[in-house]
Amino acid sequence: MEQVSEQAKETREERADRNFVELLQGSRVAVTGVQVLFAFLLTVPFSEGFARLSAFDRWLFFVALVSAAVASICYIAPANQHRTLFRQGLKERLVRRSNHYGIAGALALILSMVSATMLVVDHLFDSAVAWSTAGVVAALAAWAWFAQPALDRSARSAPPEEDGRRSGGVGAGL
């Protein structure tokens, strides 16, 4: 409860600073994984077996590589823009833009992970298993990263229950 009262006393600038720090913390988690995936994908065409990939698998690789590059750009953009916009009084705009970059980066990361997974599974098994696996990976990422938080948002905006509390569940009180 004290956290709410402390946040209520924040100035717009303090809130923008806090929100930006929180966004950067979240990006630090994702950017490491994205950079490892991107670096690995950059080495794949130079491996011996790459020449034997089908045209479809080469396109899957292309999608995985380019979407990993886009995810890297999106996750790195807020820190670089902060440097460029330092002391320009645009922190609130930067926070909103950084949030959009984070969402775009997550979408690009899902695309990269799904296409890379599909490429490997298609190489190991057959296209039916690859499509099924890619669908499960895409659905899991979409649920965990977007659908479940969207449900939490909509539940938060719903009227409170009779006893004055909102419905709980996993992550209640975040």
Side-chain angles (χ1 to χ4, degrees):
M1 197 68 162
E2 186 165 318
Q3 182 181 12
V4 173
S5 63
E6 288 296 318
Q7 288 177 358
K9 295 177 187 176
E10 285 179 322
T11 66
R12 289 179 66 181
E13 293 82 15
E14 291 170 334
R15 184 173 33 258
D17 287 341
R18 179 180 52 80
N19 288 340
F20 189 66
V21 167
E22 290 173 0
L23 282 167
L24 288 179
Q25 285 295 95
S27 291
R28 283 188 186 112
V29 171
V31 77
T32 304
V34 169
Q35 289 176 329
V36 169
L37 175 61
F38 185 47
F40 173 74
L41 289 169
L42 288 172
T43 66
V44 170
F46 303 103
S47 65
E48 231 176 90
F50 190 79
R52 294 189 303 263
L53 288 180
S54 69
F56 178 75
D57 285 345
R58 285 176 183 263
W59 278 108
L60 278 176
F61 175 79
F62 174 78
V63 170
L65 178 68
V66 171
S67 56
V70 169
S72 293
I73 291 167
C74 289
Y75 282 124
I76 294 169
N80 286 345
Q81 287 193 15
H82 181 259
R83 290 292 98 214
T84 304
L85 297 173
F86 189 65
R87 294 187 184 226
Q88 298 299 307
L90 299 171
K91 183 69 68 81
E92 286 185 58
R93 181 181 297 174
L94 180 60
V95 167
R96 281 191 305 279
R97 185 181 302 149
S98 297
N99 187 56
H100 293 141
Y101 276 122
I103 292 169
L107 290 169
L109 180 56
I110 288 173
L111 185 58
S112 184
M113 291 170 56
V114 167
S115 55
T117 300
M118 188 170 177
L119 171 65
V120 171
V121 174
D122 189 48
H123 182 74
L124 293 174
F125 300 105
D126 60 37
S127 60
V129 176
W131 280 102
S132 299
T133 304
V136 168
V137 169
L140 180 59
W143 169 257
W145 295 356
F146 296 105
Q148 193 171 34
L151 289 173
D152 289 343
R153 276 183 89 137
S154 66
R156 187 167 191 263
S157 63
E161 294 177 5
E162 286 184 31
D163 66 359
R165 293 179 293 143
R166 298 192 188 277
S167 57
V170 177
L174 292 178

